[in-house]
Structures are given as structure tokens and as C-alpha cells.
Amino acid sequence: MFILIIVLVGIQFIPTNHNPNIPAGPDDFLILNNTPAQIGKMLKTSCYNCHSEQINYPWYSNFQPAGWLLDKHFREGMAELNFSEFGSLFGRMKKMKLESMIKQIEQEKMPIPSYTLIHRDAILSDSERNELTTYLKTLN
């Protein structure tokens, strides 16, 4: 037990590699599509924290290993879909990403349960899910 405590204290001195919070640019999905405010709020609350460069790190991200796990999760999320760079995708890739978003939301795979376990406001109701996918289908 003593060794575990030493390790936990020791890893707090290893620097984290948090992604910088970059303001939305012209390639941002919400700006690019002039997304209605209600839809934008849903995307910001349920998707953007893992799938954009506008990450709001929770307080516990300053403690390891939680910070490392969050950084890994955010990097993987942005590798799959980055709303901040959506405008830089070519036509077919945008269409594929939109189709994937619709499918993930309809099948209730996104936002992922491990995220909504802590971020209860990210849970989408059936009507929000329907409103969001209806909007995404208009872009497809």
C-alpha cells in the first residue's frame, strides 16, 4: 500500500500533454454550416468536448492517471472526428463523416456511456436525438 501511494504521488510530477483549447475557426462545423443555436448547443454539450479542439478539461484532469486517460480519449475522439477541422475535409469524406454521425447517434452509440456517466448533461433525449439527426441529414 505504501508503494502504491508513493507511485501515485510520484506520477503527479510527470507533465501532462493537454491539448490547447483553440477558438473556433472558419473550418469549424458550427460556423461552416451556420448551425441553428439549439442544434449547436446539443453538439457542444454532447460531442464537442471529445471531437473538437475546444476541450473543457474537468478539474480531475490535473491528477494522474485520470489526466492521461482523458488525453488519450480526446486524441482518439479527434482522430475519428474533429469538428474544428470539418471544413478542411473533401466532399466525400464530409458525407462519410455525416453518415457516421447519424448512424452513431441513431444507434445511441454516441455520446459514449463512459462520458455520460460523469457528464449527465451530455445525454441526448429521444427528441434531441431525432432533432439532431434530422438536421445532420439535411447537410448530407
Side-chain angles (χ1 to χ4, degrees), residues 36-100:
Q38 178 64 20
I39 299 294
K41 183 177 181 217
M42 280 189 266
L43 286 170
K44 285 262 188 188
T45 304
S46 299
C47 310
Y48 259 60
N49 212 32
C50 300
H51 294 285
S52 80
E53 294 166 353
Q54 298 158 29
I55 298 170
N56 294 315
Y57 282 93
W59 64 268
Y60 53 85
S61 69
N62 294 315
F63 300 99
Q64 307 317 328
W68 296 332
L69 294 172
L70 285 171
D71 281 333
K72 180 180 182 292
H73 176 78
F74 293 148
R75 277 194 307 277
E76 290 173 352
M78 283 195 290
E80 189 64 37
L81 172 66
N82 186 346
F83 283 108
S84 299
E85 298 176 352
F86 196 81
S88 66
L89 300 174
F90 59 91
R92 184 179 167 139
M93 184 60 78
K94 281 183 189 173
K95 184 175 175 64
M96 289 172 54
K97 294 292 182 185
L98 283 168
E99 288 172 357
S100 178

Side-chain angles (χ1 to χ4, degrees), residues 7-60:
V7 169
L8 284 174
V9 170
I11 64 174
Q12 303 311 312
F13 294 101
I14 298 172
T16 59
N17 191 19
H18 285 341
N19 293 316
N21 192 337
I22 300 171
D27 284 335
D28 184 84
F29 181 87
L30 299 178
I31 294 171
L32 186 70
N33 294 301
N34 196 22
T35 304
Q38 178 64 20
I39 299 294
K41 183 177 181 217
M42 280 189 266
L43 286 170
K44 285 262 188 188
T45 304
S46 299
C47 310
Y48 259 60
N49 212 32
C50 300
H51 294 285
S52 80
E53 294 166 353
Q54 298 158 29
I55 298 170
N56 294 315
Y57 282 93
W59 64 268
Y60 53 85

